[in-house]
Amino acid sequence: MNPDASSSVAKVSGGDPSRPDPRTRALEDDLRFERTTRVVNVILWPMLAVLFATQFKFSAAHSWTFALLFGAMIWMPWMLLTPVIVRGVKRWCTTPHHLAMDMLAWTVGMVLCVGFYAVVAEAGMDEARDKTRDLRRPPPSSWRENPPPKPPMFVPQVLVGMPVYLGITAFAVMSVARVKMRERERRVLQATAELHRSRLEMLYAQLRPHFLFNTLNTIASLVHREPEVVDRIVTSLGVLLHETLESDVNREVTLEHEIELVEMYLKIERARFGEGLKLTTDIDADCLTWMVPVLILQPVVENAVRHGLGPRKGVGTIAIKARLEPERQMLRLEVRDDGVGIKEPLRDGIGLENTRARLRAAYGDMEGLDDRVTVLPCEGGGSIAVIEILHGRRL
């Protein structure tokens, strides 16, 4: 790739080393959220406890010590429960959702938190009743004979605790959703940048200049002797150039159409190397209508021809195999050659990185992407390139 193209890729992809990595930004947002929650937790509940104690002090004529203790028993339990609730909400927002399990989890969480608060608050209320009983007028004789019914134990505290619990939960959900939304926006921007980068790399790396030069030299040498062969070469080259330069790099085609493009490419190579260059396919019928990024196989096949079969004058076989795993929604593609082979697995290189970038731009960050696009040595000689595509779909 020439320097101008490299600088363009760096600008598009945001490759400035001084700029923080998106994962670092997400971690900073998460830490900022934790600090904000901690500050609110430390300030809000003590302030409410003091206000409640002040009101209780002047309304019931108790000492400040007892009033503050009573206020702490009413409001300070939420200071312990708030981090637990926030952590539970964060965990819920980052795990797969199932309605039944979600309802059970939220119910159990509410019962435990509100129940803990009710126990502590009821203990404070009992103590307050004992302290204030002697300060009030004696009840009427009719009350002593037929006292009014008392509310069931914990009911008032539960009625107070449930709105507080729901308020904390709503605050946590909105805060976590805001952090996730910002993270999602950054991922979209990053995917867009990688999409443009993959477009540039495809133009400079996928159909490399040497391939075009070799094809043009082949045409020049055969144009007078075998015009029919030249006609087939030009037709195949036109199809490949159209797919590469005119179409959207992120466009998806069926695997059947992708195999046709590979055959077009190999027709051009056979004009150079002869009919010793063969192609075999072992593709399940269910895989033919599975959608894949356009020209996802051509760079892999070209590498197999150049590095695997090139030293043998292009004599050999390219075998393409496709298997579908419906339960994982994964399509596994294998491109095998019986050429000179490799000694160790390959995970680096322009072709592999270009393929990963295109998969990332099309489907997002797939788990273990580096291991899903790799080249492995074969025991019987040659090498095998493996591409695993998750989250695919049919036509």
Side-chain angles (χ1 to χ4, degrees), residues 255-298:
L255 182 59
E256 183 177 17
H257 181 66
E258 182 69 14
I259 297 299
E260 293 175 356
L261 296 178
V262 170
E263 292 175 346
M264 291 286 185
Y265 164 73
L266 291 179
K267 285 180 181 180
I268 298 174
E269 295 292 5
R270 287 193 188 100
R272 294 176 52 212
F273 296 113
E275 295 300 324
L277 178 59
K278 302 182 183 302
L279 172 68
T280 63
T281 58
D282 180 12
I283 301 175
D284 289 347
D286 294 340
C287 299
L288 293 176
T289 57
W290 205 255
M291 304 301 291
V292 298
V294 62
L295 289 174
I296 196 69
L297 287 178
Q298 189 273 334

Side-chain angles (χ1 to χ4, degrees), residues 142-347:
S142 59
W143 282 24
R144 288 194 296 269
E145 297 173 1
N146 298 306
K150 295 182 179 180
M153 184 177 291
F154 301 134
V155 170
Q157 285 69 41
V158 170
L159 295 178
V160 172
M162 287 184 63
V164 177
Y165 171 84
L166 295 176
I168 297 173
T169 302
F171 165 78
V173 169
M174 289 187 294
S175 300
V176 173
R178 180 174 176 271
V179 173
K180 295 298 179 184
M181 182 179 65
R182 294 183 61 182
E183 181 181 355
R184 193 178 302 113
E185 290 174 353
R186 280 195 296 269
R187 286 184 178 180
V188 171
L189 293 176
Q190 184 183 15
T192 303
E194 289 184 354
L195 176 61
H196 291 293
R197 177 183 176 182
S198 65
R199 180 190 295 272
L200 291 174
E201 287 188 347
M202 187 180 67
L203 294 177
Y204 286 93
Q206 190 166 279
L207 282 178
R208 299 179 179 88
H210 78 270
F211 165 66
L212 294 176
F213 294 151
N214 291 336
T215 303
L216 292 175
N217 289 333
T218 302
I219 292 174
S221 64
L222 297 177
V223 66
H224 298 295
R225 293 186 291 108
E226 301 182 51
E228 295 181 357
V229 175
V230 171
D231 183 66
R232 292 197 298 269
I233 294 176
V234 171
T235 300
S236 300
L237 180 61
V239 173
L240 288 177
L241 290 177
H242 174 77
E243 293 289 345
T244 304
L245 302 174
E246 298 296 334
S247 63
D248 182 6
V249 69
N250 206 34
R251 182 169 64 91
E252 290 183 318
V253 297
T254 63
L255 182 59
E256 183 177 17
H257 181 66
E258 182 69 14
I259 297 299
E260 293 175 356
L261 296 178
V262 170
E263 292 175 346
M264 291 286 185
Y265 164 73
L266 291 179
K267 285 180 181 180
I268 298 174
E269 295 292 5
R270 287 193 188 100
R272 294 176 52 212
F273 296 113
E275 295 300 324
L277 178 59
K278 302 182 183 302
L279 172 68
T280 63
T281 58
D282 180 12
I283 301 175
D284 289 347
D286 294 340
C287 299
L288 293 176
T289 57
W290 205 255
M291 304 301 291
V292 298
V294 62
L295 289 174
I296 196 69
L297 287 178
Q298 189 273 334
V300 179
V301 174
E302 182 179 349
N303 283 337
V305 173
R306 287 184 59 210
H307 302 293
L309 303 181
R312 297 172 49 181
K313 304 299 182 182
V315 177
T317 301
I318 301 293
I320 299 178
K321 181 179 179 180
R323 292 292 183 267
L324 188 62
E325 299 184 16
E327 64 279 1
R328 298 175 58 191
Q329 288 189 325
M330 185 188 79
L331 176 67
R332 179 183 174 91
L333 302 174
E334 297 179 359
V335 178
R336 180 171 182 171
D337 67 82
D338 56 359
V340 296
I342 56 177
K343 296 181 180 179
E344 297 179 353
L346 297 179
R347 288 180 172 81

